[in-house]
Amino acid sequence: MKASDALVLFGVTGDLAHKMIFPALYAMARRGVLTVPVVGVATRRLSLAQLRARATDAIRSAGRIDDRRALRHLLSLLRYVSGDYNDPGTFTALKQTLKGTRRPAHYLAIPPVLFETVIKGLGAARLAEHARVIVEKPFGRDLASARELHRVARSVFPEEAIFRIDHFLGKEAIMNILYFRFANSFLEPIWNRNYVASVQVTLAEAFGVEGRGAFYETAGCLRDVIQNHLFQIVALLAMEPPAHRGFDAVHDERAAVFRAMRPLRAADVVRGQYAGYRKEPHVARNSDVETFCALRLFIDSSRWDGVPWYLRSGKLLPETAVEVLVQLKPPAQRLFADAAPPE
């Protein structure tokens, strides 16, 4: 497919756009690779000047603005369409704004419950022809809803035009796991059940839901973080060496890890909620949505058979941290008194 000639950001006034997308667009503008219109779409009524102010604030919050020319260039590319995603008129207005473009990329930085609505709206407005759609995680609430969302997406877009992404995987530290695993020959001989006693993966956040109560009520910690972010880290750590450097080879080996995961039991999962969560805006007074989750899983493969993997994540914890802790088995001969593993 040819390069897209416009970027449409559904949910342009949301948290993801503020924290990640606008700073990323600014970085692209600094490198001189952002050359297409950026059309924001949201339900909030804003003027173009207000949207530009929000974009500037987002970039400033992420770090120092050190290239005014790049910032002006980015702001000059912005367009805005406001309206209800259930209203066909919103997509008509978007189509008018995109007039003159032929291959837009539609980025759905919106609550997952709206994915189907927007994809169908794009199809009805004939905005999917020669276009791409980028769908943020989580992709459905369970297997059945994920399959239904896949069916809807495929009814509007061809498979090669559908990008199911997790922005977390673009972080340098996550990408470096592949280098850590496969660029160090010393590691491979001990990276298995014969030498590894357990693996712990933690993603802790010192802040709460920060006004995103409505979204969090539909997701919770397990769906928001663990079944995508942390499971992907596990896959990168547990996968077998890919046959080559191509995307398909890495994807296949990660998928093999998921297939080998033993189904979770109730005894393997702990859920919790920070004090005060039910007082957050747009949170049900009797909500049982978890803001903390920890689980134990096993990967039934020859490499990892019997090794427990512990995953934990939560909000409003003592500190913000992302870490992987690998506990190695002790040597057969313990020469030092303090070398014994903890009971």
Side-chain angles (χ1 to χ4, degrees):
M1 297 179 70
K2 294 182 179 180
S4 298
D5 56 3
L7 175 63
V8 181
L9 290 177
F10 286 90
V12 71
T13 60
D15 185 72
L16 181 61
H18 189 273
K19 288 185 176 179
M20 296 188 177
I21 298 177
F22 277 126
L25 291 175
Y26 171 65
M28 292 177 64
R30 291 183 64 212
R31 295 198 304 270
V33 296
L34 184 64
T35 59
V36 301
V38 178
V39 183
V41 186
T43 58
R44 190 177 303 183
R45 291 189 175 275
L46 292 178
S47 66
L48 183 56
Q50 289 174 313
L51 178 63
R52 287 171 173 167
R54 288 179 65 87
T56 303
D57 179 68
I59 296 164
R60 183 178 292 113
S61 298
R64 184 166 59 93
I65 297 176
D66 55 1
D67 191 333
R68 288 287 172 178
R69 178 179 296 180
L71 177 63
R72 288 195 299 270
H73 175 67
L74 168 58
L75 298 182
S76 72
L77 295 174
L78 292 181
R79 312 286 186 270
Y80 188 61
V81 174
S82 66
D84 191 320
Y85 298 141
N86 290 287
D87 181 5
T90 301
F91 296 91
T92 301
L94 174 59
K95 190 171 187 178
Q96 182 61 34
T97 303
L98 287 171
K99 191 174 183 179
T101 64
R102 298 189 60 190
R103 299 178 302 277
H106 303 288
Y107 192 122
L108 308 191
I110 53 179
V113 295
L114 295 173
F115 288 166
E116 182 175 336
T117 299
V118 170
I119 290 173
K120 287 181 175 179
L122 291 170
R126 300 178 67 86
L127 284 167
E129 298 176 5
H130 310 295
R132 296 177 171 93
V133 65
I134 304 164
V135 185
E136 268 282 357
K137 63 86 187 170
F139 193 86
R141 289 182 56 82
D142 50 26
L143 181 59
S145 60
R147 284 174 170 166
E148 174 60 17
L149 181 56
H150 172 75
R151 185 195 65 78
V152 170
R154 286 289 284 108
S155 71
V156 177
F157 292 90
E159 178 60 36
E160 63 270 18
I162 303 171
F163 295 81
R164 305 165 187 85
I165 72 167
D166 180 351
H167 60 267
F168 183 79
L169 299 183
K171 292 179 178 291
E172 185 176 3
I174 305 305
M175 298 176 71
N176 280 345
I177 292 176
L178 283 177
Y179 283 86
F180 175 74
R181 283 286 318 276
F182 302 118
N184 294 286
S185 59
F186 78 90
L187 188 62
E188 181 62 21
I190 67 168
W191 202 249
N192 56 61
R193 59 187 172 87
N194 296 322
Y195 295 93
V196 176
S198 67
V199 183
Q200 300 179 43
V201 183
T202 301
L203 195 165
E205 296 174 325
F207 49 87
V209 295
E210 295 187 329
R212 301 170 66 220
F215 162 74
Y216 220 75
E217 282 288 278
T218 67
C221 180
L222 184 61
R223 289 191 178 95
D224 182 43
V225 173
I226 290 182
Q227 61 90 28
N228 38 66
H229 293 349
L230 298 196
F231 270 31
Q232 290 289 348
I233 292 177
V234 170
L236 291 170
L237 290 169
M239 64 185 279
E240 295 299 320
H244 55 86
R245 290 192 299 172
F247 167 79
D248 289 344
V250 175
H251 180 274
D252 290 345
E253 294 300 340
R254 289 198 319 229
V257 174
F258 296 135
R259 287 192 293 268
M261 284 183 180
R262 191 181 305 173
L264 295 174
R265 303 170 302 166
D268 295 319
V269 182
V270 175
R271 299 167 64 243
Q273 188 182 92
Y274 68 75
Y277 172 71
R278 296 179 181 180
K279 296 180 181 179
E280 298 278 4
H282 310 297
V283 170
R285 300 303 88 171
N286 62 344
S287 173
D288 68 347
V289 170
E290 77 282 352
T291 64
F292 173 87
C293 188
L295 60 87
R296 175 184 58 193
L297 64 83
F298 291 90
I299 300 169
D300 293 330
S301 67
S302 59
R303 182 185 291 265
W304 298 111
D305 183 49
V307 177
W309 293 67
Y310 300 102
L311 280 59
R312 64 177 70 89
S313 182
K315 291 188 175 296
L316 216 63
L317 294 176
E319 60 182 83
T320 295
V322 181
E323 67 176 16
V324 175
L325 177 63
V326 179
Q327 180 181 356
L328 300 177
K329 291 182 178 180
Q333 185 177 8
R334 298 173 185 171
L335 298 178
F336 309 101
D338 59 354
E343 296 293 337

